[in-house]
């Protein structure tokens, strides 16, 4: 085969094989391929590239051995992570997007799709901030304005927010802070803040240790008294507070910080107010639940993830800015491409070349509409409430955080401790039991939840192992939730015999 044929002649058999692979994958579960590092590394132990290319038919043989080893994120009994099955239209749309291969860093390499990004960002800006038509008419496509930027995810969006906050405070020159009389800079938020803020402070040269993770209340929300104490300490120690972070949907619990109070404190202290709504932002589509995010419109910046509750492919995040000129504080140019007087989004994005993933959002917005999102989100939030009820009804489980959105945490209690008062030693046993249980369930491959480790007010400051369920898949039915819990009860019985045989 001539190499140019790889570019000009699609192989229909290859496309059909791809469809068949996906079909088979979607009708199986993780039990097909055990979760074992040893067998994975054994399967992939070739460090040499082939000298000559192989045919697509030969490559299909290899693909057929790789695909079954992927995680079955789309299974309705897989409730462990923040990854959703994608709507079917995404498959064909992704073919279009990948083959167009546009680069919205620059207008010259994406043309109309650069402006599609701006339109998509304006729709999300309106969802959060609800400005009037005149505002969007003026700023949506203005040259020296950006209602936000597209990023590869929530991490880069959060890092960009810190970058903006720092440049607002002292430009890119930390000495300016010292000249203002400060000895350093910190950001304040709850201990449930995402770890991307540590990365951001590290990169900005401000130090991950200056992410102050403050106490939470019984509902896993940033404690206002703890915040006031921290603010006083910052003044005493001459530390500049670069940003106050409110989490709107914590990664562990889905809890939401008291945004109206945080907004008022940020305004009073003149601190950049950032809301990390990577998970929770789309709650705003739901008339029933949008009240949970009251106060978000007062944030200077808001992080959203497209690849979570907006149900588009991975690699889609956003940072939204209330004020259209805020992005100018991080503007950078390059003479060969990113021109100061252009519309190039590359002037503001931390990333350079990147895909035009705004097209996925555009399609989802048009095809689902606000009502479609509202319906999907409400159904998921209801599923989480149903799961919480099933957990509370069984002595084999202890619900650790009631669902605010569609995340919940709980743990399995071994038979000999059910109904007992749990002291520190019992909690340590339960921790070990839940780690073993989560691993056993993962190894079995039929159903899945993830696990985390957190202190929960009920048991003082003891770090507890918690099972964490994420109800994101629109195809989850009550029977799947029941099956998952039944798997845990069954595995729990077996494990309790192994771990605590004598204690019972
Ligand atoms: C997922 C998440 C992030 C990180 O987003 P990525 O897309 O994984 O980079 C940040 N904050 C919160 C609250 C999240 O849920």
């Amino acid at each position: 085969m001539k190499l140019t044929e790889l570019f000009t002649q699609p192989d229909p058999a290859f496309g059909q094989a791809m469809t068949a692979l996906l079909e088979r994958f979607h009708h199986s579960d993780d039990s097909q391929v055990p979760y074992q590092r040893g067998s994975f590394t054994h399967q992939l132990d070739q460090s040499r590239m082939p000298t000559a290319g192989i045919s697509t038919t030969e490559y299909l043989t290899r693909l057929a051995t790789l695909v079954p080893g992927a995680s079955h994120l789309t299974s309705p009994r897989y409730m462990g992570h923040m990854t959703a099955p994608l709507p079917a239209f995404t498959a064909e749309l992704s073919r279009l997007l990948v083959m167009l291969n546009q680069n919205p860093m620059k207008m010259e390499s994406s043309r109309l799709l650069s402006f599609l990004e701006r339109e998509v960002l304006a729709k999300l800006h309106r969802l959060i901030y609800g400005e009037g038509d005149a505002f969007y008419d003026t700023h949506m496509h203005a040259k020296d304005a950006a209602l936000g930027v597209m990023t590869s995810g929530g991490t880069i969006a959060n890092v960009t927010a810190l970058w903006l906050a720092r440049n607002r405070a002292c430009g890119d020159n930390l000495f300016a802070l010292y000249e203002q009389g400060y000895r350093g800079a910190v950001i304040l938020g709850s201990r449930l803040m995402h770890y991307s803020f540590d990365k951001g402070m590290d990169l900005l040269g401000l130090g991950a240790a200056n992410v102050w993770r403050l106490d939470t209340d019984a509902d896993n929300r940033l404690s206002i008294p703890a915040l006031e104490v921290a603010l006083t300490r910052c003044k005493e120690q001459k530390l500049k507070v670069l940003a106050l972070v409110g989490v709107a949907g914590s990664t562990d619990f889905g809890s939401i910080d008291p945004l109206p109070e945080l907004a008022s404190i940020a305004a009073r202290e003149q601190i950049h107010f950032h809301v990390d709504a990577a998970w929770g932002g789309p709650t705003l589509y739901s008339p029933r639940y949008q009240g949970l995010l009251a106060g978000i419109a007062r944030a200077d910046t808001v992080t959203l993830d497209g690849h979570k509750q907006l149900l588009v492919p991975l690699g889609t995040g956003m940072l939204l800015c209330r004020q259209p000129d805020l992005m100018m504080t991080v503007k950078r140019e390059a003479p060969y491409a990113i021109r100061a007087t252009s519309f190039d989004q590359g002037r503001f994005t931390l990333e350079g070349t990147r895909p035009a993933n705004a097209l996925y959002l555009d399609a989802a917005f048009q095809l689902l509409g606000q009502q479609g999102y509202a319906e999907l989100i409400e159904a998921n939030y209801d599923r989480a409430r149903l799961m919480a009820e099933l957990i509370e009804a069984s002595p084999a489980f202890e619900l650790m955080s009631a669902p605010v959105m569609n995340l919940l945490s709980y743990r399995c209690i071994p038979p000999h401790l059910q109904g007992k008062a749990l002291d520190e030693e019992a909690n340590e046993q339960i921790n070990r039991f839940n780690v073993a249980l989560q691993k056993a369930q993962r190894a079995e491959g039929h159903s899945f939840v993830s696990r985390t480790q957190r202190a929960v007010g009920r048991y003082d400051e003891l770090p507890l192992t918690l099972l964490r369920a994420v109800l994101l898949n629109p195809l989850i039915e009550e029977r799947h939730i029941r099956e998952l819990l039944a798997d845990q009860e069954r595995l729990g019985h077996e494990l309790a015999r192994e771990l605590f045989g004598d204690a019972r």
Side-chain angles (χ1 to χ4, degrees), residues 82 152-156 158 194 196-197 247-251 276-279 303 305 307-308:
M82 295 176 149
S152 63
T155 296
I156 303 297
N158 283 338
H194 193 263
S196 48
F197 293 101
V247 183
S250 63
T251 319
D276 181 2
W279 180 258
T303 286
D305 249 338
H307 54 226
K308 290 178 177 167

Side-chain angles (χ1 to χ4, degrees), residues 1 10 33 44 66 78 87 104-105 116 118 131 136 158 170 231 253 294 297 308 341 355 380 383 396 403 413 486 492:
M1 185 177 63
V33 177
L44 297 170
L66 294 177
Y78 192 111
M105 167 175 92
L116 181 71
R118 286 171 173 262
E131 299 285 357
Y136 295 104
N158 283 338
C170 62
L231 285 165
F253 302 111
K308 290 178 177 167
T341 56
N380 277 333
R383 283 181 187 102
I413 308 294

Side-chain angles (χ1 to χ4, degrees), residues 16 31 44 65 90 108 129 148 178 211 251 284 305 316 337 400 446 470 482:
Q16 281 158 15
S31 61
L44 297 170
T65 68
T90 311
E108 283 177 0
Y129 296 110
Y178 302 125
V211 176
T251 319
L284 290 167
D305 249 338
T316 313
M400 302 305 280
H446 178 253
V470 183
R482 287 184 184 275

Side-chain angles (χ1 to χ4, degrees), residues 345-404:
Q345 285 295 95
R347 291 174 297 161
F348 317 119
T349 53
L350 182 52
E351 285 148 296
T353 296
R354 58 199 170 78
N357 283 2
L359 187 65
Y360 294 127
L361 288 167
D362 183 66
F365 290 175
Q366 302 302 323
L367 294 169
L368 291 168
Q370 300 198 37
Q371 280 175 8
Y373 274 121
E375 219 172 281
L376 289 170
I377 280 165
E378 288 173 5
N380 277 333
Y381 289 21
D382 292 346
R383 283 181 187 102
R385 280 148 185 80
L386 169 71
M387 184 165 182
E389 277 168 31
L390 296 175
I391 287 170
E392 289 213 285
S394 163
F397 298 105
E398 182 183 14
L399 185 68
M400 302 305 280
S401 70
V404 179

Side-chain angles (χ1 to χ4, degrees), residues 401-445:
S401 70
V404 179
M405 298 182 174
N406 46 349
L407 270 72
L408 56 112
S409 65
Y410 64 104
R411 54 186 190 161
C412 207
I413 308 294
H416 71 287
L417 292 173
Q418 290 174 15
K420 304 258 166 67
L422 302 173
D423 59 11
E424 193 170 330
E425 195 198 320
N427 272 308
E428 271 161 23
Q429 280 190 13
I430 299 175
N431 282 352
R432 265 199 300 143
F433 176 72
N434 280 275
V435 171
L437 175 68
Q438 195 263 349
K439 287 186 179 171
Q441 191 174 18
R442 186 178 70 191
E444 192 176 64

Side-chain angles (χ1 to χ4, degrees), residues 49-63:
M49 190 170 147
T51 314
I54 57 175
S55 69
T56 46
T57 318
E58 286 170 298
Y59 186 63
L60 276 176
T61 315
R62 180 171 164 84
L63 264 186

